[in-house]
């Protein structure tokens, strides 16, 4: 799924211009990122939950050379689907 796909669905649903639909899609994505930064996660009822998890520093292998490399600590976003979503898929 892409931002263009979301904008297309919004445009068809709201019967608005493409520019307005792309602005709405961008605002939606920005709101999601802001909420993840502020609260560390959020829930879309009947869809699922997004949470921010800390990743520890670790050792990994370079797939091209096989040489060990150090991967820095960071954050990642995880998604857990709701029972309703699992049931419908």
């Amino acid at each position: 799924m892409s931002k263009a796909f979301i904008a297309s669905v919004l445009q068809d649903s709201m019967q608005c211009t493409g520019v307005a639909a792309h602005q709405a899609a961008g605002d939606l994505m920005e709101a999601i990122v802001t909420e993840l930064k502020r609260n560390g996660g959020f829930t879309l009822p009947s869809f699922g939950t997004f949470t921010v998890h800390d990743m520890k520093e670790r050792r990994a292998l370079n797939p091209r050379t096989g040489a060990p490399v150090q991967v820095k600590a960071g954050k990642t976003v995880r998604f857990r689907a709701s029972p309703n979503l699992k049931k419908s898929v």
Side-chain angles (χ1 to χ4, degrees), residues 7-76:
S8 172
V9 170
L10 288 173
Q11 184 178 5
D12 292 342
S13 175
M14 298 185 330
Q15 298 176 349
C16 63
T17 65
V19 173
H22 277 276
Q23 181 65 40
D27 291 345
L28 173 66
M29 294 172 80
E30 186 176 320
I32 290 170
V33 171
T34 301
E35 190 67 18
L36 285 170
K37 286 181 181 179
R38 185 182 314 141
N39 295 326
F42 74 98
T43 300
L44 291 172
S46 299
F47 188 71
T49 302
F50 294 86
T51 54
V52 176
H53 287 272
D54 293 323
M55 301 294 290
K56 296 179 182 178
E57 187 172 316
R58 62 187 174 87
R59 295 190 69 177
L61 294 177
N62 181 332
R64 182 173 291 176
T65 64
V69 293
Q70 197 69 22
V71 179
K72 296 180 182 179
K75 295 183 179 188
T76 188

